[in-house]
Amino acid sequence: MAERRKKPTGDVERAPRGGEVARPDEGYESLIEPRSGLSALLAPVGGFGVTLSNMFRPTVTEQYPREKVPTKPRYHGRHQLNRYADGLEKCIGCELCAWACPADAIYVEGADNTPEAQFSPGERYGRVYQINYLRCIFCGLCIEACPTRALTMTNEYELAGPTRAGMIWEKQDLLAPLREGQLAAPHPMVEGTTDTEYYRGEVTGVTPEQVAWVAEHRPDDPTLPQNAEKGATVPDHGTTRLEQQAITAAARRQGGAR
Amino acid sequence: MTITTPNRRTDASADTTPLVPAAPPVREPEPEATVTFEIDGLETTVPKGTLVIRAAERLGIQIPRFCDHPLLAPAGACRQCLVEVWAPGRDGNLAKMPKPQASCTLEATPGMQVKTQHTSPEADKAQHGVMELLLINHPLDCPVCDKGGECPLQNQAMSNGRATTRFVDVKRTFPKPIAVSTQVLLDRERCVLCQRCTRFSEEVAGDVWIDLQKRGAQQQIGTFDTEVLGFAGETPVGAATLDTSGRPFSSYFSGNTVQICPVGALTSAAYRFRARPFDLVSTPGIAEHDSNGSAIRVDHRRGVVLRRLAGEDPAVNQEWVTDKDRFAFRWQSAADRITTPMVRRPQGDGTRGPLEPCSWVEALDTAAVGLQAAVEAGAGVGVLPGGRLTLEDAYAYAKLARVALRTNDVDHRARPHSAEEEAFLGHVVAGRTLTVTFADLVAAPTVLCVAYEPEEEGGIVFLRLRDRVVAGRTRVLSVAPLASRGLERLDATLLPAAPGTEPEVLDAIEAEAGEPLLADAATALAAEGAVVLVGERAAEVPGLLSAVLRLAERTGARLAWVPRRAGERGAVEAGTLPGLLPGGRPVADPSARVDMATVWGVDELPATPGRSADEILAAAAERRIGALVVGGVDPADHADPRLARAALDTVPFLVSLEVRASEVTDRADVVLPVAPPVEKPGTFVTWEGRPRPFAQALTSTSMADHRVLDLLADALGVELGTGSLAAVHAELDQLGGWDGARLPAPDVAVAEPAPVPPGHAVLATWHQLLDAGRLQDGEPYLAGTAKRPLARVSAATAAAVGVADGGALEVATDRGTLTLPVQVTDMPDHVVWLPTNARGCAVRDVLGAGTGTVVRLAAGRADVTTRAAAPSTGPVTGDTADAVSGVRIDEGERA
């Protein structure tokens, strides 16, 4: 390197080369006052004091994943798309969450609710809803932007997955599981209500008309009370998650993970 | 021409002009009188009559507004633009106007002092008050509203409104939304009563449609149900509300109201809930549907076009586009898009085999071998590029034919045409760009339309003309068999002419004519700046174009040829005609051939004049042509679709360059996929000869025609040099115009009209803007606003056939029969009018007829609407057929 460098020509004043600092002539002098007596003798082992004192304190090591410690209640975990009490989706596909997202992790497409396929109260619902957990930074701006409280965050943090595609969660993965008494969408709104009543929380459950509509159009729907009595179960997770879980389970069997 | 090519050569010698030079920049006229006044303490000088809000815009001072639109008359409806105004009184002292004034209706006067919300607390408070009142009944449904994110109300409520609401009562609501037509939806509760939509329909489009109803808080935009006053018969295919005349609303321009609505009250059904503005990437573009070259904005997300909006170009389309330009874009991404090259490999038993996807190399080599064989066998190759190409693509076809295929058998005219038309194009059109422009049109005292419907065959010409007609500056005359609704809205004077007699009518336009109508027309056309617009249909009447030339010479009126398709004018300039080389150079002229041979770097060009498209097809049907290269051509568009199909079936070797699978690709030996306009850059040339360059909107691997042809020529062993846009532009610049002799003027004698036996009539027909065209596929909302197909006859003709108004009329030739509801219209007797290609009314396909054909008339059975004699020649039906079929049944019941 040194040979390659051009020699300064003439008497041009050169700037100091990189890495050089001005060195005081009188040499280095510490500003820490030197110890004396016993403390000077014990100084070399003084650092063990921290170690020794911690030996008598309770341990903080978490035995994750064998023992899982609950998060704080407002921990920003994975998202959930909520439902109204009768099972209709709260999401109206307005894309405000996607707009708010600083990481461009959310993709939404809206569509029209029709009398044959009413997914949410009102005119519009989210036809496509994807959150890319490879991008999400869990800042929570999306849930602040949501005008219908459709999007909230759960405390679930175990979001690692074996495939990249599987990290893009679809609407069916994000939708809240149907509780007992809720009917899977699509089905009509409660008679005589508008989206305003839904928003105000005046709809508290399914009506017999809604059950009848679903029984007529989807007699095999597992959320119907008559099917639930026969033992039909609704899967808690969407297909993307189930596929991911299957891949992970297979890898565990092969790799011998505990 | 060089607009799309950055870093163009600056060393080009001064005597070469580009083949299609760009239009000179429009200069604003020097104002006769000016006014000097102050806004916010800034002194400004503006032309007399300028509105305060415009003057403020020029200074960059923002005043909130909803009803104000520069292209609409001032209304002062929304009151959002209130400003404080001080003006000199009679005594010369400045005095404050007692109340804030609406700056959108206030003309600037000398010495006036205007204080906007930026400097006047009073104006600011007034604007806040107006905004609060506007928002009282405005729903807070921005998250579901399509305007959310690009909404002037939303934006200005943030900039000039209160941060919080004080309104605690229940808002006024309406059941929503009303489908004004199949493509425009009206949410009345969002409306702020600015009346932009009603003013647009009244002042600009002339389709009076919705208007204010009721009073006070109940005031709303709505539809009237009054007595029938409007033009009879033109009802849309789909469901629509009634217009102000009590007829179902039907307009070709209603999409513009969606764009200018400052709130989300009017929304487009096709775009409803599809996307948000922040999703969309906007690319400026040029509409591909007509020869007006409207500026548009293509909004796309992730490689999918979601909507198109009108672009702004004061010289061409101002801020308006037709609904076809706005809504018909799904064809470009239709399911039948061809994505890979395909070839037919010969089967073991000697048959041609099915079309199979293959590599580009194989497809190009197969095509080259087939074409080479045809050229060497002496049978020759015919080239049919079609009329929808960009200038660059058409140029590549023209060059391929002459240089690589050694033939002049190239013709882009996929429509009825004649040798007279080619002579006309070579004599007055080719190489004479920008002789008549939109600016000349709006300045013309008289405009005569010959074989041209301004509304149906080019919407922007209609809007520009209507603007001047309403202002009382322009008079429109039309030589046509009947006054269409478009002509009526232009207050046009009809010079009635049965099909085939137009040349006689034109020849009779003389100052000394006995007929006062014709003498009057002659006087009007003699006025300085008068323009004659002649449509592409003129080719269907022998002698008409010759008569038009005689008329222009006699009266001194200027002449413009207005084709329908976007690529026709560019193709004429590029030389895809059998007798014309680029720039209007005649093939027959040896010096022109030498000129072109030098530019193209070949020894000589084929000197034999080529055959027209009809002659090429006839020759192909008789196996006198060895191969065909076909671009975007629909056989059903030709004068004789049966002949076109026979030619495609018979020709030994067929190469098709297509965007979507079509009747041509079904029969082709080699299919080469090409890019639709949204996936390629290029230049359309308007009917004026104005180059309209546009950029590529979507990322795509598809290639434009000129690139594919370059590769094809390469496989043929010829260097075409059209591999890139820059290369084509460089060549076009080098090529320049032609100052040699033009083709001689056509002089075709007027044909004697065919005798009309009893029970027969002469057919008059033209295309409607919205019809069964392939470029409107996949748009059911747009198709719902197309006019219902109907036949028009005079009362005497109807009585002679025995059909009542509204009854079914059978129109038949030896080939087939069309049955349509009849509308009795004021028109010459023994003439029947049909739309050329409306859904269920494919005149050329089913009847094999065109303008001037004598057809049989009979009273039809009410339950039959369409019956084709040959079942195989049914019209191409799109995805919209289902949407429309319900209406047809309804129509049958009504009849």
Side-chain angles (χ1 to χ4, degrees), chain A residues 94-95 107 109-110 112 123, chain B residues 143 176 272-273 276 279 302:
Chain A
C94 71
E95 303 190 26
Y107 178 75
E109 277 181 30
D112 267 308
E123 295 173 275
Chain B
K176 58 190 213 171
R272 192 169 170 82
F273 302 159
R276 289 281 171 198
D279 285 340
R302 300 189 178 204

Side-chain angles (χ1 to χ4, degrees), chain B residues 419-794:
Chain B
E420 182 190 5
E421 184 191 27
E422 197 193 349
F424 175 84
L425 294 178
H427 184 64
V428 288
V429 176
R432 299 177 198 272
T433 58
L434 296 168
T435 47
V436 178
T437 63
F438 277 112
D440 299 321
L441 211 55
V442 296
T446 313
V447 174
L448 170 68
C449 301
V450 180
Y452 179 62
E453 276 293 317
E455 192 188 18
E456 304 283 4
E457 296 175 302
I460 298 304
V461 172
F462 172 80
L463 291 187
R464 298 297 300 263
L465 280 180
R466 188 167 189 280
D467 181 48
R468 303 316 291 166
V469 168
V470 170
R473 301 290 176 83
T474 299
R475 186 170 164 219
V476 178
L477 306 164
S478 178
V479 179
L482 60 101
S484 65
R485 182 156 161 261
L487 284 185
E488 288 196 345
R489 276 145 62 211
L490 287 173
D491 278 340
T493 309
L494 181 72
L495 309 177
T501 63
E502 290 97 338
E504 293 168 31
V505 174
L506 288 187
D507 284 337
I509 297 181
E510 274 180 25
E512 297 85 36
E515 182 82 23
L517 205 58
L518 297 174
D520 178 44
T523 325
L525 282 173
E528 175 76 30
V531 171
V532 177
L533 294 180
V534 52
E536 63 177 32
R537 282 188 282 124
E540 293 185 64
V541 179
L544 180 51
L545 288 165
S546 311
V548 166
L549 283 174
R550 285 196 295 273
L551 175 75
E553 202 173 324
R554 198 162 65 234
T555 57
R558 291 201 275 172
L559 193 55
W561 178 70
V562 191
R564 280 175 57 241
R565 293 187 181 130
E568 292 260 356
R569 182 64 196 264
V572 169
E573 298 300 331
T576 51
L577 283 171
L580 282 182
L581 294 167
R585 293 167 173 82
V587 167
D589 187 338
S591 63
R593 287 204 307 277
V594 169
D595 195 30
M596 286 311 302
T598 318
V599 175
W600 283 344
V602 290
D603 295 336
E604 58 170 1
L605 293 180
T608 332
R611 287 170 280 192
S612 73
D614 282 347
E615 289 163 355
I616 292 172
L617 288 172
E622 293 163 16
R623 290 185 156 266
R624 282 189 284 116
I625 273 187
L628 283 179
V629 178
V630 183
V633 172
D634 189 347
D637 282 340
H638 280 282
D640 188 353
R642 189 182 281 183
L643 173 72
R645 291 196 184 94
L648 297 175
D649 281 332
T650 327
V651 71
F653 191 70
L654 177 57
V655 179
S656 170
L657 283 80
E658 256 287 18
V659 175
R660 293 166 58 197
S662 70
E663 286 190 66
V664 181
T665 57
D666 289 347
R667 296 165 163 86
D669 295 285
V670 179
V671 178
L672 304 171
V674 291
V678 77
E679 291 176 23
K680 68 181 177 190
T683 309
F684 283 126
V685 182
T686 68
W687 60 266
E688 318 153 272
R690 183 194 301 270
R692 300 289 276 164
F694 59 93
Q696 182 172 347
L698 301 183
T699 313
S700 167
T701 51
S702 304
M703 289 189 283
D705 296 51
H706 64 85
R707 281 189 65 193
V708 174
L709 292 178
D710 183 64
L711 296 174
L712 180 58
D714 191 52
L716 283 164
V718 176
E719 195 185 328
L720 207 57
T722 59
S724 72
L725 214 55
V728 178
H729 287 177
E731 203 166 302
L732 292 180
D733 284 358
Q734 189 197 349
L735 188 62
W738 169 246
D739 43 14
R742 306 271 165 183
L743 283 187
D747 190 14
V748 175
V750 179
E752 193 61 30
V756 183
H760 287 65
V762 183
L763 180 66
T765 178
W766 54 75
H767 278 91
Q768 291 178 320
L769 187 76
L770 301 178
D771 58 12
R774 293 203 83 211
L775 265 51
Q776 297 160 55
D777 282 355
E779 259 307 335
Y781 303 107
L782 178 68
T785 61
K787 288 171 183 167
R788 291 189 190 208
L790 48 80
R792 291 183 185 280
V793 290
S794 69

Side-chain angles (χ1 to χ4, degrees), chain B residues 185-240:
Chain B
L185 304 173
L186 167 63
D187 283 288
R188 283 170 293 168
E189 56 191 25
R190 290 182 190 150
C191 176
V192 294
L193 302 175
C194 73
Q195 302 175 44
R196 273 188 186 181
C197 51
T198 60
R199 284 184 290 147
F200 171 83
S201 2
E202 221 170 283
E203 296 169 16
V204 181
D207 306 305
V208 186
W209 150 45
I210 48 179
D211 214 333
L212 288 180
Q213 300 176 334
K214 302 196 180 176
R215 295 276 163 193
Q218 283 302 313
Q219 194 172 48
Q220 55 184 273
I221 294 288
T223 56
F224 280 112
D225 186 6
T226 54
E227 288 302 302
V228 177
L229 296 170
F231 191 88
E234 304 213 319
T235 46
V237 171

Side-chain angles (χ1 to χ4, degrees), chain A residues 34-47:
Chain A
R35 302 192 178 201
S36 62
L38 187 63
S39 64
L41 268 178
L42 290 177
V45 293

